[in-house]
Amino acid sequence: MSAMPSWHAPHWQRLQPALAEGRLPHALLLGGPAGLGKRVFAERLVARLLCGAPQADDACGQCRGCRLRTAGTHPDLYRIGLALNREGKLRSEIVIDQIRGVCERLALASQFGGWRIALIDPADVLNAAAGNALLKTLEEPPAAALLILLADHPERLPATVRSRCRRLSFRLPAPAAAADWLQAQGLAGDDAQALDAADGNPGLAARYLREGALPRREAVRSELAQLLAQRADALLLAQAWSQDEPRQRLQFAAQWLAREARAASVGARGSLASGRDTATLVRWFDQANLARELLRGPVRSDLALLDFLSLRAVAA
């Protein structure tokens, strides 16, 4: 196993007594922003539980259980995620049949005589019927069965589901810890600039460095400033953005606008939209986020972008 991020260690250590004594809770909810390694943590825990010869706190990686898990064929591990519908398109939610199926399998005896584990990811897209089906198992859990729910937005889960899970909340690490971890990844680029772009989220910063997203972020700031100064054409800009990571560009736009709004609220002079009042910047920030959500659906990206870039919120 690779070195554990420092912000994982407290959660991992708190689980060790329960692991040693075989008394884990019947359900764990790993929640928090994407980029903090919740899924890495979950996979580490699954590996440890299904290992036939664990070494210290981790799986051995060599036993039959470890080999089967690595191959994706362990009979006591069930993974639930977004599946294809009848038309062959990826669903946007986890449906009741998926949850019923995994709950029925958890009720069966373990083929290896140990834990049966269901990994539900992303759990925050369970539809109402699926949530109700899951609740029945959470209320009457089978012995030696563990449900692991992963959610970037745990608040979207029903309160009845959340209350029946032990919560492990992943939060942004201290700046020094984030910087140390990012430096250890050995990625090319400016670590400090990446962490600034990611608002301190080390996993997101690493993704920006791998994808070369930082120049795009700076271009967004420059283009918004030109637009406000009436030195750029909204239609041409919308067409250009639509061809190159439009949702990420809107995310960066919202970030710049949020920072400008904070500066304006304390009377500071921003670098992007000097002279704009806080309320105007907040309206434009909201419009950026609205456009970003619209791009999740079947809309023309250039039209959604044009609605944001047309400056209607600024002129209101």
Side-chain angles (χ1 to χ4, degrees):
M1 288 282 182
S2 58
M4 180 182 294
S6 60
W7 59 93
H8 285 192
H11 289 315
W12 189 254
Q13 291 306 317
R14 279 194 289 271
L15 288 176
Q16 293 314 302
L19 277 169
E21 299 171 17
R23 54 175 180 81
L24 281 171
H26 61 274
L28 293 170
L29 171 55
L30 279 58
L36 298 183
K38 299 184 300 298
R39 288 159 184 87
V40 172
F41 186 97
E43 293 293 344
R44 194 180 202 113
L45 178 58
V46 167
R48 168 64 180 79
L49 289 171
L50 296 179
C51 178
Q55 300 176 352
D57 291 346
D58 276 322
C60 71
Q62 304 297 322
C63 69
R64 184 186 177 203
C66 286
R67 293 197 304 272
L68 288 172
R69 176 189 53 78
T70 301
T73 56
H74 198 293
D76 292 327
L77 175 60
Y78 317 117
R79 297 179 183 273
I80 300 297
L82 295 174
L84 299 178
N85 61 20
R86 293 178 182 176
E87 289 74 39
K89 297 180 180 178
L90 192 67
R91 287 191 172 107
S92 60
E93 57 186 15
I94 293 174
V95 299
I96 187 170
D97 288 345
Q98 293 177 272
I99 297 300
R100 281 178 174 167
V102 76
C103 290
E104 288 171 0
R105 296 174 73 180
L106 286 176
L108 302 175
S110 165
Q111 294 194 38
F112 274 32
W115 288 92
R116 286 104 64 228
I117 303 172
L119 196 63
I120 303 177
D121 179 23
D124 43 13
V125 296
L126 288 166
N127 67 20
N132 288 334
L134 180 62
L135 187 59
K136 294 178 181 179
T137 296
L138 291 173
E139 290 172 339
E140 299 179 11
L146 175 64
L147 285 155
I148 302 177
L149 283 66
L150 289 155
D152 294 345
H153 301 281
E155 69 280 359
R156 296 178 183 172
L157 281 162
T160 49
V161 170
R162 295 198 307 268
S163 66
R164 286 166 174 80
C165 301
R166 178 170 172 182
R167 298 277 299 268
L168 298 181
S169 297
F170 288 73
R171 298 183 174 88
L172 292 179
D180 288 346
W181 180 87
L182 188 59
Q183 185 176 20
Q185 305 312 299
L187 297 168
D190 187 328
D191 290 354
Q193 187 183 19
L195 281 169
D196 179 66
D199 290 322
N201 184 318
L204 185 57
R207 196 183 92 190
Y208 287 162
L209 289 172
R210 285 193 296 268
E211 296 177 354
L214 298 183
R216 185 179 298 119
R217 177 179 181 250
E218 289 305 309
V220 166
R221 188 202 64 77
S222 175
E223 288 160 350
L224 290 180
Q226 292 175 36
L227 195 66
L228 286 165
Q230 298 183 343
R231 292 197 299 268
D233 182 271
L235 178 58
L236 293 178
L237 201 53
Q239 291 171 343
W241 282 22
S242 70
Q243 301 301 314
D244 181 27
E245 297 291 343
R247 292 193 72 250
Q248 187 181 79
R249 286 181 180 275
L250 285 166
Q251 177 185 341
F252 288 146
Q255 182 187 60
W256 288 121
L257 290 168
R259 294 186 180 190
E260 291 288 313
R262 286 196 294 271
S265 69
V266 296
R269 187 177 177 84
S271 61
L272 170 65
S274 298
R276 305 288 176 174
D277 62 90
T278 304
T280 295
L281 292 165
V282 168
R283 284 198 304 272
W284 206 22
F285 165 84
D286 289 340
Q287 202 164 346
N289 286 324
L290 175 60
R292 190 163 175 254
E293 286 303 308
L294 286 174
L295 291 186
R296 293 182 184 274
V299 300
R300 279 184 52 178
S301 59
D302 58 336
L303 295 182
L305 288 162
L306 181 59
D307 195 47
F308 162 67
L309 294 169
S310 63
L311 300 182
R312 278 194 287 271
V314 177

